Amino acid sequence: MRIDILTVVPELLESPLSHSIVGRAIKKGLVEIHVHNIRKYGLGPHKSVDDYCYGGDAGMVMMVEPVFKMINELTEQRHYDEIIYMSPDGELLSQGIANELSLKENIIILCGHYKGIDHRIREHLITREISIGDYVLSGGEIPAAVVADSIVRLIPGALTDETSALSDSFQDDLLSPPVYTRPAEFNGWKVPDVLLSGNPKLIQAWQDEQALERTKELRPHLLSKKF
Ligand code: SAH
């Protein structure tokens, strides 16, 4: 899989993409992530990428031409399954969307900045718009890193214990059961006895029950999808 991220602040993406599970998946060759600076196609002596907003609103808007040229450079080289724009008014990111995107071959993720991008890019070039929640951030870089992380950890081989992605929250519209590690007792706080029983059937039944209980309590809307 290949992910191309387009941004005017590439520095913001360096750390989230070079460590932990995503960093290891890149090193293992499971995914290529290329970060492109849109300023490469900036206009004039200062390589400008933004301009004043028509209509006199405060704030700057990312111009069509640099983004158009950056996207063109990539689409001339290969087919992209999706050209995604990170946007607060896009469809809300979910585990279902992450699953779907993890099956794609090549995707572009465009990060907005300032007041956003000239709407004509969204109308003519973007195939999908994704939001990471109903709040506004300064740029699309952190949202793009969130999307990339949610996708990459689903690629077979990215997690050392592959089954652990399957038991994550949302994967089957249930939240994950609580997890514990050693010691069995700390400060008088005990790990539930059943987990120490060594009986896989009992443990599974307890985990299923916990997952259901937690989902009922914390995300009841997931259950209406399930039953
Ligand atoms: N004026 C815009 C917000 C611009 S914020 C509006 O009111 O909708 C600048 C950029 O940050 C956006 O172009 C988008 O790429 C990114 N961004 C901000 N919040 C986001 C969110 N919740 N999800 C995804 N991207 C977001």
Side-chain angles (χ1 to χ4, degrees):
M1 175 177 206
R2 176 180 168 123
I3 304 174
D4 290 273
I5 304 181
L6 281 43
T7 167
V8 290
V9 199
E11 298 80 6
L12 281 173
L13 285 154
E14 275 164 19
S15 180
L17 299 178
S18 45
H19 304 283
S20 183
I21 291 167
V22 178
R24 282 200 295 275
I26 294 172
K27 280 193 200 97
K28 283 192 206 164
L30 299 173
V31 62
E32 282 180 38
I33 304 186
H34 301 269
V35 177
H36 306 270
N37 192 342
I38 297 167
R39 215 168 280 281
K40 174 178 178 186
Y41 292 111
L43 306 182
H46 300 296
K47 295 271 172 201
S48 301
V49 289
D50 58 315
D51 205 339
Y52 294 102
C53 188
Y54 272 125
D57 275 355
M60 305 298 278
V61 175
M62 281 170 64
M63 290 187 285
V64 175
E65 191 175 331
V67 176
F68 174 81
K69 286 185 170 162
M70 192 71 252
I71 292 179
N72 241 9
E73 179 193 312
L74 295 170
T75 52
E76 273 173 0
Q77 291 173 50
R78 66 192 66 76
H79 168 76
Y80 283 90
D81 304 297
E82 296 281 11
I83 303 180
I84 298 166
Y85 174 53
M86 299 311 308
S87 184
D89 56 10
E91 55 182 326
L92 275 182
L93 181 63
S94 64
Q95 194 63 29
I97 295 176
N99 284 337
E100 198 188 314
L101 292 176
S102 73
L103 302 173
K104 307 282 185 194
E105 194 85 24
N106 302 311
I107 61 174
I108 289 176
I109 305 179
L110 171 63
C111 308
H113 227 87
Y114 319 112
K115 259 188 99 63
I117 58 171
D118 188 304
H119 203 72
R120 288 167 289 184
I121 291 285
R122 298 173 67 172
E123 285 173 329
H124 298 288
L125 297 178
I126 297 299
T127 62
R128 192 158 190 174
E129 301 189 328
I130 298 178
S131 164
I132 64 162
D134 285 349
Y135 42 82
V136 175
L137 299 164
S138 314
E141 291 72 18
I142 293 171
V146 169
V147 170
D149 188 308
S150 72
I151 296 172
V152 169
R153 66 199 307 287
L154 295 171
I155 298 173
L159 297 180
T160 35
D161 176 3
E162 282 196 31
T163 58
S164 79
L166 298 177
S167 62
D168 275 344
S169 290
F170 308 111
Q171 207 49 265
D172 50 5
D173 288 330
L174 283 174
L175 299 182
S176 170
V179 290
Y180 302 86
T181 186
R182 286 182 293 185
E185 183 171 347
F186 174 82
N187 211 17
W189 306 334
K190 287 186 177 165
V191 170
D193 286 339
V194 59
L195 294 179
L196 310 176
S197 69
N199 182 332
K201 266 195 183 160
L202 276 182
I203 292 174
Q204 187 64 55
W206 180 85
Q207 288 173 332
D208 291 348
E209 182 200 307
Q210 288 288 317
L212 193 59
E213 283 308 310
R214 292 179 66 76
T215 311
K216 261 189 213 161
E217 191 185 328
L218 303 169
R219 294 287 190 282
H221 71 277
L222 291 177
L223 294 174
S224 53
K225 283 208 272 178
K226 209 171 157 56
F227 300 114

